[in-house]
Amino acid sequence: QGFVCLCVGDYIGEQCAVSLLEATSFLPDAGEWAVRCAQGAHWMEGSRALGARLATLHDTRRCSSEQTVTFATRMHGLGAQIHYLTECLTTATQEGKGMLTAPSSHAHTDRIECGAEAMRGGHSLAHELFGCYLERFFECGVDDVGAKEGVEPRRDNSRYAGDEYQTVPKGSAFWWRAQLAHYLLQPGPALQTTLRQVKAALGFTHPVISVHVRHGDACMHASISQFRPKCVEWEVYLERIYEMRNKYGV
C-alpha cells in the first residue's frame, strides 16, 4: 500500500516472515524504518478508536450490573495477572460492558496498605495495583453493582485481534493485547512522582535499552517446564545489550 509493505497479523520484518508471538529475538537492520513507521501509523489509528470505546464502556454513568461484567480474581504473579486482566477486558469489550474484578475470600481488600514493604500479591494483586499504584480506569466498584462473585473470561479469546478497531492490516493479537495493557497500566500520581525522581537520579534520557531481567520465581517455573526458557546469567543479557548498542548506536 503506497509502495510500502504492510505485514498482515502478527508478522514483521522486511519479508513479513518474523512472528511477534513466536520469535524469541529480532534485530532488524536500521534501514527498515519505512516499513515500521507505516505499520505504526495504521496501528495508531486503531488505538484512537479503541481508546474511545474503552473510555465509553468505563464511564461512571454505566455503573450498573447490566452494563458491567465482574471477573473472579486469580492467584497470579504480576506478569500472569496482567495477561489475565487483558483476557477479562477482552471478554468485557466483546460484550459491550465495563470490567470489574470480584472481591475474593482470599483478597483481604479491606486491609490493603499502600506503601507496605512488599505487596501480598496473589488474589490481592489486582486490587493492590489499582488501589495503590495505577490510575483507576473505572470509578465503579463491585459494591456499587451488587456483585458477589466473579466469572471466568472466555477461553476462546486468547488470539482475539479486535479487527473491528484495526484498519489495514488487520489480525494482530499482539496489537490488541498491547493496547489493553497500555489502557490498564497507567501509573497513578504517586507512582508517577516516584518514576520522575528515579529517572532524574539516573539521568534517564532517550534513547535507552530497557531490559527485563527474570531472576525471580520465573526461574523455578522454568526449571520444571518443557517450554519456558531457562534463566540465564546477567552476562548473557549484557552480551545482547552490547549487540543492540553497537547495531543501533544507543
Side-chain angles (χ1 to χ4, degrees):
Q1 178 174 335
F3 305 105
V4 176
C5 173
L6 295 178
C7 303
V8 175
D10 291 304
Y11 287 88
I12 57 176
E14 187 176 359
Q15 302 299 323
C16 297
V18 180
S19 170
L20 282 168
L21 303 181
E22 297 176 6
T24 57
S25 65
F26 176 55
L27 294 178
D29 292 336
E32 290 189 24
W33 302 120
V35 173
R36 197 183 84 165
C37 291
Q39 182 86 318
H42 286 280
W43 279 358
M44 286 172 64
E45 291 176 13
S47 298
R48 285 189 284 268
L50 177 57
R53 178 58 173 162
L54 291 172
T56 298
L57 293 178
H58 295 97
D59 189 297
T60 52
R61 290 169 293 185
R62 296 174 58 88
C63 187
S64 68
S65 58
E66 293 78 17
Q67 298 184 89
T68 58
V69 56
T70 302
F71 297 96
T73 55
R74 281 280 189 87
M75 190 71 178
H76 285 322
L78 179 60
Q81 192 76 246
I82 294 170
H83 175 76
Y84 174 68
L85 288 173
T86 57
E87 278 194 335
C88 296
L89 187 52
T90 296
T91 299
T93 305
Q94 288 172 325
E95 297 180 6
K97 297 180 178 181
M99 181 187 83
L100 297 171
T101 55
S104 165
S105 59
H106 305 285
H108 308 299
T109 55
D110 58 333
R111 295 199 297 274
I112 289 177
E113 298 180 11
C114 296
E117 290 186 5
M119 298 175 69
R120 285 195 303 272
H123 284 283
S124 298
L125 184 54
H127 300 284
E128 287 181 286
L129 286 173
F130 293 107
C132 301
Y133 302 101
L134 302 178
E135 196 73 46
R136 289 175 61 89
F137 61 89
F138 198 7
E139 293 297 332
C140 177
V142 290
D143 292 336
D144 298 320
V145 301
K148 300 299 181 183
E149 58 184 24
V151 299
E152 293 292 314
R154 287 175 50 181
R155 294 290 93 194
D156 60 349
N157 67 24
S158 61
R159 291 297 177 96
Y160 180 75
D163 279 351
E164 62 269 37
Y165 299 98
Q166 297 188 50
T167 53
V168 179
K170 297 178 181 290
S172 176
F174 178 87
W175 176 88
W176 173 260
R177 289 300 184 98
Q179 298 307 310
L180 299 190
H182 175 73
Y183 179 76
L184 293 171
L185 302 181
Q186 293 301 307
L191 182 55
Q192 284 183 356
T193 299
T194 300
L195 291 173
R196 282 195 295 267
Q197 292 172 343
V198 171
K199 287 181 178 180
L202 293 173
F204 186 97
T205 57
H206 286 284
V208 298
I209 297 175
S210 179
V211 182
H212 178 196
V213 180
R214 303 199 67 177
H215 280 172
D217 61 345
C219 295
M220 177 191 68
H221 296 311
S223 66
I224 59 177
S225 172
Q226 295 183 352
F227 63 90
R228 291 193 182 197
K230 306 301 181 187
C231 289
V232 297
E233 299 297 325
W234 163 246
E235 288 74 17
V236 177
Y237 288 90
L238 199 57
E239 289 177 6
R240 301 309 297 271
I241 291 172
Y242 284 141
E243 183 180 358
M244 292 183 70
R245 184 191 67 176
N246 295 334
K247 187 163 190 173
Y248 302 118
V250 178

